[in-house]
Amino acid sequence: MKNATIFIRISIGLLLLYASICFFLKLAPETEATGSFKAFNTGLIASTYLMPLAKIIELLCGLSYVTGKYVSLANIVILPITLNILLINYYMSPDKLFIAIPLFLGNLFLIYRYWNNYKTVFTP
């Protein structure tokens, strides 16, 4: 189980690092958005702060996962982002669910594995 945790943690970390670095350095061309996803994406870009903020959080959490430091904190911070990635892809771009589902499930798995670190949060 320890090896699976390390593998999933580093895999998610590398994926988050890749996505955020590509965003900031413009390494990969942006895919053409269509339909309702295009309208949603236009709104995100128009906000000017939301996408850079999400990508900074992805970068920091990716670094945390790869280095193995502050993983419990990164699990909780990245959870709303992975949930949004899953839901956006489910409702607006189902062809990209093959990335969103493993990312979200991996995040849940890491929360499960580090659950002892969260016990005090849920005790009255």
Side-chain angles (χ1 to χ4, degrees):
M1 194 69 137
K2 184 178 179 183
N3 290 336
T5 303
I6 292 170
F7 175 77
I8 290 171
R9 179 176 52 83
I10 291 176
S11 297
I12 291 175
L14 291 175
L15 179 65
L16 294 173
L17 285 174
Y18 173 76
S20 59
I21 290 171
C22 283
F23 175 81
F24 288 117
L25 300 179
K26 309 280 190 239
L27 296 177
E30 292 186 29
T31 57
E32 184 64 31
T34 58
S36 58
F37 184 67
K38 184 175 185 176
F40 179 78
N41 200 29
T42 303
L44 285 178
I45 293 169
S47 72
T48 67
Y49 80 94
L50 197 54
M51 283 303 289
L53 176 65
K55 293 301 179 178
I56 288 170
I57 292 171
E58 284 181 13
L59 178 70
L60 294 174
C61 290
L63 287 171
S64 175
Y65 283 153
V66 169
T67 62
K69 307 253 188 246
Y70 304 105
V71 175
S72 297
L73 177 62
N75 285 334
I76 296 302
V77 170
I78 202 68
L79 181 63
I81 293 175
T82 59
L83 178 61
N84 273 300
I85 290 170
L86 177 69
L87 293 175
I88 288 166
N89 283 300
Y90 178 76
Y91 287 106
M92 297 182 198
S93 183
D95 55 316
K96 295 199 173 90
L97 276 174
F98 70 94
I99 295 172
I101 291 172
L103 179 65
F104 182 70
L105 291 178
N107 189 205
L108 290 180
F109 174 78
L110 290 175
I111 288 171
Y112 167 75
R113 289 292 290 145
Y114 289 89
W115 187 251
N116 287 335
N117 298 343
Y118 307 118
K119 281 185 178 178
T120 58
V121 175
F122 295 102
T123 56

